[in-house]
Amino acid sequence: MRPLNRTPRPQTFFVSLCALLLLGQNTSGLDAIDPQPGIRTPLERAVESPLPTTTCEGCLLFALSHRPWGEAFDDPVRDLFGYDGGFMRVRLDLRLGVFQGLDVGLTRTNGVAREAYDSWSGDVRLGHTWKPRPGWRLDAGVQVGGTWFEQENAPDASAPWFWSGVGAGFDPMWMGGGVEWHGNSSSPWKSSTSPNATLAIHGQAIVRFQDNLAMVAELSQPVSVYGLPCPAWTFGPRWTTWRHIFSVWLGNARSGGPDGRLVGAQSWGEPVLGFQIVREATMWNTGKPQ
């Protein structure tokens, strides 16, 4: 999508709905699937890019991600590492594990700066894990969905998107990658003459240092049609507790969500300081081991 002037819209209703759904659920019972052997946490993504694993059957996952527009180290004391600069990118995610190996998701990403739209994306994901030997795993997944762009001063728009990825885990590391295509990618730097679609490749790595601490890195490189000059990178620690994840990261990208995470970045440097909170609850208990 191409940018226009906009006034950011509040997301109070969506945040409140997610919070009420999760606070009202029974959190005992099922363990979640994690790509790292030996760790049980609600994780089916690195930071922005998905992983080829699904949310456990009967589980509801809610994720809240913040990515400032302002550079983290330009004036870190006065601007609070970029958080006082405004134009905050907020991504909200809900995922529900329908069956083992199949989940569905809904994502909302707000527009910032000159973007006159908020994007809503829905998808279905299939994933499968093989465990050829103890401590090893192989993962493969595919995701198909669409994005609806809710615009203020122009007709709404929509576009399909597709992702597929693989990965391998061996204690204490998991590594993977994938390819993603979006029919109408978004960027604050897009113009009326820019191509609509973007094809990109993703790479992810997770290294565990102890049961509740890991380092996560991801890279997204646009390879065809529309793309910014540099690949988008993200790097930072992740702390885990019972069915929660808290991540803090540095990254050079300003976009997010399925329509924006694949377009790359304007430069290798000038990183922002972002964070993400992931919470998982049990909607129904199947009694099956996860």
Side-chain angles (χ1 to χ4, degrees):
M1 291 292 291
R2 298 168 181 83
L4 297 170
N5 292 325
R6 59 95 32 88
T7 301
R9 299 179 182 177
Q11 306 183 64
T12 307
F13 174 75
F14 191 71
V15 174
S16 301
L17 175 62
C18 296
L20 289 172
L21 283 171
L22 293 177
L23 289 174
Q25 303 307 315
N26 174 18
T27 59
S28 64
L30 300 179
D31 288 330
I33 298 173
D34 191 291
Q36 301 173 74
I39 301 215
R40 299 289 188 176
T41 53
L43 180 70
E44 41 68 59
R45 74 193 65 212
V47 175
E48 280 288 348
S49 58
L51 298 178
T53 58
T54 58
T55 306
C56 57
E57 182 179 354
C59 298
L60 178 69
L61 181 147
F62 171 55
L64 172 64
S65 307
H66 283 73
R67 183 185 298 269
W69 181 267
E71 197 262 322
F73 305 112
D74 184 35
D75 193 347
V77 176
R78 181 179 178 85
D79 294 338
L80 193 61
F81 296 98
Y83 278 85
D84 286 344
F87 298 122
M88 187 71 63
R89 178 85 67 185
V90 181
R91 173 182 168 184
L92 304 172
D93 288 89
L94 278 177
R95 295 209 69 85
L96 176 64
V98 182
F99 303 109
Q100 190 65 25
L102 186 150
D103 62 8
V104 296
L106 176 66
T107 299
R108 185 188 191 275
T109 309
N110 68 315
V112 300
R114 298 181 300 148
E115 297 171 330
Y117 48 83
D118 303 314
S119 63
W120 296 78
S121 295
D123 72 272
V124 176
R125 178 172 53 188
L126 295 170
H128 188 72
T129 297
W130 297 267
K131 296 182 178 180
R133 54 186 296 185
W136 289 71
R137 63 181 294 151
L138 300 173
D139 302 296
V142 62
Q143 210 166 352
V144 179
T147 299
W148 167 49
F149 297 94
E150 181 187 6
Q151 305 191 84
E152 291 183 349
N153 301 312
D156 291 351
S158 61
W161 63 275
F162 168 85
W163 173 89
S164 181
V166 295
F170 47 92
D171 197 12
M173 179 179 290
W174 188 95
M175 298 183 68
V179 59
E180 185 167 24
W181 174 85
H182 199 288
N184 195 1
S185 60
S186 68
S187 167
W189 294 279
K190 254 191 169 183
S191 69
S192 59
T193 59
S194 300
N196 286 333
T198 295
L199 177 68
I201 54 175
H202 296 291
Q204 306 98 11
I206 303 173
V207 180
R208 175 166 57 92
F209 296 100
Q210 56 189 38
D211 283 354
N212 66 340
L213 177 63
M215 295 297 293
V216 178
E218 64 180 13
L219 189 73
S220 178
Q221 172 66 63
V223 295
S224 182
V225 201
Y226 177 79
L228 296 174
C230 301
W233 59 266
T234 304
F235 177 79
R238 188 191 78 203
W239 292 271
T240 65
T241 61
W242 172 241
R243 309 189 84 177
H244 289 75
I245 297 172
F246 182 74
S247 302
V248 179
W249 71 82
L250 289 173
N252 65 337
R254 299 302 192 268
S255 297
D259 51 296
R261 65 189 175 207
L262 74 172
V263 299
Q266 281 285 68
S267 67
W268 274 98
E270 301 180 353
V272 299
L273 179 67
F275 71 90
Q276 183 178 79
I277 301 171
V278 183
R279 167 78 162 90
E280 188 184 68
T282 300
M283 296 297 288
W284 65 86
N285 193 330
T286 64
K288 298 177 182 180
Q290 303 295 321

